[in-house]
Amino acid sequence: MKNIHVFGISTPVGQSFKKIICKHYKKNNIFFYSRIGHPYIKFDLQMPKKNIIKNIKSKSTIISFAPIWHISFFLKYLISTNKKILNNIDSVIVLSSTSVLTKKFSTNKFDKDLYNSLKFSEDYLIDLSNKFNFNLSIIRPTLIYGSINNYSDKNVTKIAKIMKILPIIFIPKETGLRQPIHINQLAQVVFQIFENFRNSRNKKIVEIIEVGGDISLSYFEMLCSIRHNLLKTKKANIFKIIRIPNKLFYLLTFPIYFISPKIFESFLRIQADLSGFTRCGSIINKKKLKFPIEDI
């Protein structure tokens, strides 16, 4: 069996993927890497060392839950050390982000830098795939949520924390669509793509998959679902969501622009439709699941 190298194992999606792959394959051929180290192999993609080369001397698959620019930097390092080593790489599966679509025309520096890093890394990996003839799947997930083993997302979990503290929030009356995907759903998508590569029978695959959860709901509906879950589990008391006209909302929040253009632009995106991506259920052949699929 080919060696499987999993980077970013300490992320929420990485932890979910670990549970899935360990049910199907023996750990002898699986290498889990983390910048943190114990109980995984300590390895920093931004400061790679030659000792990893011995693990990639046989045919290998690379799966990464780390930022895509870290894995592209790592592969560039391998080329600079020993170009032939990439001939041992059979497949590469990496997580990117739908931010490469939604933040393309952002005006603040943080989002522009994020877009440039994502786009450059994707293009670089595609070029490497064509040059060294390995399978490549770039997965662009949308709004990721979920917690596992003390690791949690920075999206829905952050909203839930706000709801636990504040008794009331104001949002625009008209809000755009969202398609949140749970960490376990995304991990299953990654595993399914891994299985597809194993069964590809020497047919080279290069793909970009934009994936979200099974249902699309407005930002307001998403907040209501989070609130309902918190009230049901008694993790929050009465919490009100007050909708005000969009023009009034942005007039009131505009001063934030002078403090943080990034935060203000995130408010602007509340009214944007960030959905319409491939349903995760259609990839993993599972029935539709409502949001949230587990208690927050």
Side-chain angles (χ1 to χ4, degrees), residues 44-107:
D44 190 340
L45 288 168
Q46 295 179 283
M47 296 191 300
K49 297 179 181 179
K50 290 184 179 180
N51 61 349
I52 195 174
I53 291 179
K54 67 179 185 296
N55 295 341
I56 311 180
K57 282 188 175 179
S58 58
K59 281 293 180 182
S60 298
T61 293
I62 289 179
I63 301 172
S64 175
F65 301 101
I68 188 173
W69 51 88
H70 288 180
I71 203 69
S72 62
F73 178 83
F74 168 66
L75 293 179
K76 186 183 293 185
Y77 167 80
L78 289 182
I79 292 174
S80 67
T81 305
N82 182 356
K83 187 180 292 188
K84 292 182 179 179
I85 198 72
L86 262 71
N87 293 324
N88 293 334
I89 296 176
D90 175 78
S91 304
V92 175
I93 303 171
V94 296
L95 293 191
S96 183
S97 171
T98 51
S99 291
V100 78
L101 303 174
T102 61
K103 297 180 180 177
K104 183 176 182 179
F105 302 107
S106 292
T107 58

Side-chain angles (χ1 to χ4, degrees), residues 92-290:
V92 175
I93 303 171
V94 296
L95 293 191
S96 183
S97 171
T98 51
S99 291
V100 78
L101 303 174
T102 61
K103 297 180 180 177
K104 183 176 182 179
F105 302 107
S106 292
T107 58
N108 72 83
K109 186 178 185 304
F110 180 89
D111 287 344
K112 285 195 291 186
D113 288 346
L114 175 60
Y115 164 78
N116 289 329
S117 296
L118 291 168
K119 189 67 171 67
F120 175 82
S121 299
E122 288 187 1
D123 290 344
Y124 179 72
L125 291 176
I126 291 171
D127 182 62
L128 281 187
S129 172
N130 292 327
K131 189 173 182 179
F132 292 95
N133 201 37
F134 57 77
N135 292 323
L136 173 66
S137 182
I138 297 174
I139 305 169
R140 295 173 175 171
T142 185
L143 192 66
I144 304 172
Y145 73 98
S147 302
I148 183 173
N149 299 338
N150 296 321
Y151 299 96
S152 61
D153 70 278
K154 296 179 181 179
N155 301 305
V156 171
T157 299
K158 185 180 290 186
I159 294 173
K161 286 180 179 178
I162 292 173
M163 288 185 175
K164 292 175 184 178
I165 298 171
L166 300 178
I168 186 174
I169 62 168
F170 295 87
I171 67 166
K173 194 169 186 179
E174 298 176 10
T175 60
L177 296 175
R178 295 296 184 271
Q179 199 177 342
I181 182 170
H182 191 266
I183 54 175
N184 186 57
Q185 291 176 308
L186 183 52
Q188 289 182 61
V189 168
V190 174
F191 182 75
Q192 184 60 55
I193 292 170
F194 167 73
E195 290 285 85
N196 293 345
F197 281 169
R198 287 187 67 249
N199 300 320
S200 62
R201 296 182 181 179
N202 298 323
K203 181 181 178 182
K204 185 188 171 189
I205 301 171
V206 178
E207 60 185 8
I208 295 178
I209 301 174
E210 291 148 5
V211 63
D214 290 322
I215 62 169
S216 294
L217 65 170
S218 71
Y219 194 88
F220 170 67
E221 291 172 330
M222 183 179 76
L223 292 182
C224 289
S225 295
I226 296 171
R227 178 182 62 181
H228 176 74
N229 184 265
L230 292 176
L231 293 175
K232 182 188 71 173
T233 56
K234 297 182 180 180
K235 293 180 181 178
N237 297 316
I238 296 175
F239 177 84
K240 292 185 178 181
I241 303 170
I242 296 181
R243 304 161 78 187
I244 61 177
N246 287 45
K247 289 183 180 179
L248 177 59
F249 178 83
Y250 292 116
L251 178 65
L252 294 174
T253 56
F254 181 71
I256 294 175
Y257 175 82
F258 299 100
I259 302 171
S260 173
K262 175 180 178 291
I263 293 176
F264 180 69
E265 284 199 41
S266 70
F267 284 149
L268 289 177
R269 284 194 294 272
I270 290 176
Q271 65 181 3
D273 285 338
L274 306 179
S275 67
F277 307 113
T278 302
R279 282 196 314 105
C280 61
S282 67
I283 297 175
I284 60 180
N285 296 317
K286 296 283 181 70
K287 66 178 182 179
K288 287 185 179 181
L289 295 175
K290 294 181 179 181

